[in-house]
Amino acid sequence: MSPAGGDDRAAGSVTVALIQMTAGIEPEANTALVCRLMGEAAARGAQWIATPEMTVCLDSDPKRLLAHTHDEDEDPHLARLCRHAAALGVVLLIGSMAVRAGTGADGRPRLANRSFLIGPDGTIRARYDKVHLFDVSLGDGEQYAESRLYQPGDRAVVADAGFATLGLSVCYDLRFPALYRGLAEAGARILTVPAAFTVPTGRAHWHVLLRARAIETGCFVIAPAQAGRHADGRATYGHSLVVDPWGTVLLDAGPAEPETTPGVHLVALDLAAVDQARGRIPALTHARAVRVEGVAGQAAPGTPAAGGPAAADETPDEKPLRRHEGRER
């Protein structure tokens, strides 16, 4: 499958439902809400349902969050969502949830911010651990240090959703365009960006970054988002978005201010738009390797090409891109 086309499903369509919600600190309540909204989405014709980052529990208190997390194969909320996807016969993207990821060098528990693609039979087709962790200080006392508790992923993932090949990512990954180009070069036609964007960064950057990733890659971008004031005190931006490969916003679920109601937002994707956009502007096939000269005339380290063949033990549904020296994919 070439970046410019070649997918025999390219002329099809799929109806996707984005769930916009205000996840709290109680996983049972969040999971029950998502199951109810999934049922509503399926009843309205959704074939694919996508939820935001930290669907099951959004909590900035490390001790409380750890008490609510499990190993993947023992997580009751993940199991419930898988069963519900099977009962409804839909593809489900769990934007992300916190799962146990062993212990760090200091002996303390570590978590992964993991996105799951669930098939209509309820099985996990792919999983992706957020690579770029949100360690920032936004001013006015708003600080985040995701790496204190979370272990970063070390690979990018493309996955077969049945109707198209998806490239998986989570929230802060959005600011690293090489990741998305690599996903598109590996066959992705739809990019997923579940998020819990802050209000100040969302106002400044959310729409323009999502549109840029769509335009650069000729992909659809699907970005289900958290919205509103959460039980742990933080506020998220909302504006769950769907952008087509030409950069047109097809769906904007709206702001979180002054308050938001959890909801389901549907849009039909004409998958032929991918090849149409890439045919008009074939940027993926025009890329050239460049040599960057340092200020003293010395060459900076080069950036190798994305992708590479899948290892023998990797399934066709889950093909990671290699971790390259000088650039973590």
Side-chain angles (χ1 to χ4, degrees), residues 134-190:
F134 194 52
D135 293 347
V136 303
S137 178
L138 300 177
D140 296 326
E142 191 170 359
Q143 298 183 356
Y144 299 88
E146 199 172 14
S147 64
R148 290 181 182 173
L149 186 58
Y150 288 88
Q151 181 73 28
D154 63 2
R155 62 176 182 168
V157 175
V158 294
D160 186 355
F163 49 82
T165 301
L166 309 185
L168 307 185
S169 70
V170 177
C171 201
Y172 189 52
D173 286 330
L174 180 59
R175 295 181 181 275
F176 300 87
L179 168 64
Y180 296 92
R181 185 174 191 90
L183 291 169
E185 289 173 343
R189 301 173 71 82
I190 303 175

Side-chain angles (χ1 to χ4, degrees), residues 25 58-60 64 228-236:
I25 62 176
L58 195 153
D59 196 346
S60 56
R64 193 167 54 201
R229 179 68 62 178
H230 298 263
D232 72 346
R234 82 178 73 183
T236 50

